Amino acid sequence: MSDLLKIKKNTCKKTHDDEEHRLQCACVKWFRMQYPSISYVLFAIPNAARRSARNGAYMKDEGMLPGVSDLILLKSNRHYGALCIEMKTRSGKQSDSQKKWEQEAVKNGSKYILCRSFEEFKDAVNEYIRDMT
C-alpha cells in the first residue's frame, strides 16, 4: 500500500470518528439546555475509547460490556424504563455486539434508537419525553 493510500485510509477513519463525536456532543449539549431538570440522567457510556489491554481487562472486570449504547437517558416514561441511544454517522453500521445489546435492552423494557442526525435525536428525545406525562 502506498504512503498516500495509508494517509487517506487513516484520515477517513479519523474523520468518521470525529463526525460521530461532534454529533453526539451537539446532541448532549442541546439536551442539557433543553431539559435542565433531567440533564443528569442522560449520560455517555465510554465503550469506544482506546485503552491498553490491561485497562480494558480491568474495566471488563468492573462490568463494562461491549455493544452498550452511546447514550442512556435513565428516565422512564409511560411505555419504557429508559431510552438507549446509539449514535452513528449516515454510513455507520452497528456491530454484532451492538445489535445483541439492543435486543437485550428492548427485551428488558427499554426503548432503543439509532440516531444518524441531530434532528433525529431531537425528535426521538422530544417524543420520548412527551410520553412521560
Side-chain angles (χ1 to χ4, degrees):
M1 183 182 300
S2 75
D3 288 340
L4 182 58
L5 283 176
K6 286 179 187 174
I7 291 169
K8 282 186 176 184
K9 184 177 178 183
N10 289 341
T11 302
C12 289
K13 181 66 175 157
K14 191 178 272 186
T15 301
H16 171 80
D17 287 346
D18 191 48
E19 181 183 349
E20 197 170 290
H21 168 76
R22 286 190 319 254
L23 172 60
Q24 184 169 326
C25 289
C27 291
V28 169
K29 184 176 182 178
W30 171 84
F31 181 86
R32 298 217 191 294
M33 290 181 355
Q34 187 71 24
Y35 297 104
S37 66
I38 58 171
S39 66
Y40 283 97
V41 293
L42 176 75
F43 53 92
I45 307 298
N47 271 358
R50 289 192 178 268
R51 52 185 64 91
S52 69
R54 181 178 179 180
N55 188 255
Y58 180 84
M59 293 181 76
K60 190 174 181 181
D61 288 345
E62 286 187 338
M64 184 182 75
L65 292 172
V68 175
S69 62
D70 294 316
L71 296 168
I72 295 178
L73 176 57
L74 195 57
K75 184 79 173 153
S76 61
N77 70 10
R78 290 185 297 187
H79 308 287
Y80 302 100
L83 176 62
C84 304
I85 306 161
E86 181 62 34
M87 306 301 293
K88 291 290 180 196
T89 60
R90 291 278 175 212
S91 60
K93 302 213 182 324
Q94 283 180 292
S95 67
D96 289 340
S97 61
Q98 288 171 330
K99 290 175 185 177
K100 180 172 177 31
W101 196 87
E102 174 185 2
Q103 291 172 346
E104 291 298 315
V106 169
K107 184 170 78 174
N108 285 283
S110 293
K111 181 174 177 83
Y112 184 100
I113 59 172
L114 188 63
C115 286
R116 297 182 182 278
S117 73
F118 181 67
E119 290 302 319
E120 280 183 23
F121 177 86
K122 283 186 357 182
D123 291 346
V125 167
N126 285 332
E127 180 182 332
Y128 184 87
I129 288 174
R130 267 194 303 272
D131 281 342
M132 282 201 250
T133 57

